[in-house]
Amino acid sequence: MHVKQLHPWPTGVAEAEAVQDRLRGAVELTGPDTFALVAGLDVHYHGDDALTAAVVVLDGGTLEPVEEVVAHGRAAFPYVPGLFAFRELPALVAALERLTVTPDLLVCDGYGLAHPRGFGLACHLGVLTGLPALGVGKTPFVGTHEPPGPERGAWTPIVHDGATVGRALRTRREVRPVYVSQGHRISLDVVTDQVLRLSPRYRLPEPVRRADHLARHPA
């Protein structure tokens, strides 16, 4: 698949923030609600800077694997809160461009609107690819929320600067919630529905679980 090169990879904080500010206006918060092919994306670090980016494409109905790819690289940016995506984007883009199929939804291990600048990894990858994208975080990042109820499917809004930027969502009964947010071309209700549908057995959605395993064990 092809990923648009909308900007050079930044080398400093001011340049990276300017990229986020420029692309944030391209984010769309509505889109389709069914997806034939769903891709999970994750990155695993080997030491301080060496990393492996993995993309696993599953059939959206059966959750059977369709294609798996990896790209090896090094962190492309220093660790700066709110700019973490720039460390991983080049390797993730390289992995996506190795796919022979084009997924209909990107499920990112990270955040979308639930981000200090309103433009997390899921937003960035969605805008670069033009594909619907959502973020699933394992821990809260920005904003405040009440604990959701104990049952599967319970959620509460994540509010940041007076706006709803995501949801704390319970994917397994009495198991810690995940933190979901829109990335691009998808509504928050569809994000919630998709994360639940893609998490039939475990806390994390199956595409992200499989991408995490592939990034850790690329051989």
Side-chain angles (χ1 to χ4, degrees):
M1 64 170 286
H2 176 67
V3 180
K4 293 174 284 188
Q5 297 296 317
L6 297 181
H7 59 81
W9 299 121
T11 58
V13 170
E15 186 181 356
E17 290 179 346
V19 168
Q20 290 180 331
D21 290 341
R22 179 166 63 85
L23 296 186
R24 187 168 53 237
V27 170
E28 301 173 19
L29 300 180
T30 60
D33 58 9
T34 58
F35 308 94
L37 294 177
V38 179
L41 299 89
D42 200 7
V43 172
H44 179 67
Y45 287 82
H46 310 278
D48 292 335
D49 292 321
L51 55 81
T52 299
V55 181
V56 175
V57 181
L58 305 182
D59 182 286
T62 65
L63 301 186
E64 289 299 312
V66 174
E67 188 173 12
E68 299 180 348
V69 296
V70 298
H72 303 289
R74 303 194 71 82
F77 197 83
Y79 176 74
V80 179
L83 301 177
F84 190 78
F86 289 102
R87 292 174 61 82
E88 304 180 349
L89 276 166
L92 285 168
V93 167
L96 284 167
E97 290 190 321
R98 294 181 181 179
L99 289 174
T100 63
V101 300
T102 299
D104 301 295
L105 174 65
L106 304 180
V107 182
C108 304
D109 177 27
Y111 306 91
L113 294 186
H115 176 272
R117 304 179 68 80
F119 195 77
L121 177 67
C123 297
H124 209 140
L125 281 170
V127 171
L128 290 181
T129 61
L131 298 173
L134 64 88
V136 181
K138 303 179 188 73
T139 56
F141 188 26
V142 298
T144 59
H145 68 279
E146 297 296 325
E151 68 276 8
R152 170 178 159 86
W155 59 265
T156 54
I158 300 171
V159 178
H160 179 59
D161 289 340
T164 296
V165 296
R167 289 173 177 170
L169 173 64
R170 194 87 65 183
T171 55
R172 303 292 297 162
R173 181 175 178 81
E174 296 183 341
V175 171
R176 287 180 298 129
V178 294
Y179 302 89
V180 303
S181 54
Q182 294 155 277
H184 183 54
R185 294 187 56 211
I186 194 167
S187 72
L188 189 51
D189 284 342
V190 173
V191 167
T192 304
D193 292 344
Q194 288 298 312
V195 170
L196 284 172
R197 191 180 65 80
L198 296 169
S199 308
R201 297 178 60 195
Y202 300 101
R203 177 182 177 231
L204 292 177
E206 198 64 14
V208 169
R209 271 188 10 94
R210 296 198 186 196
D212 172 78
H213 184 270
L214 180 60
R216 291 174 183 272
H217 309 284

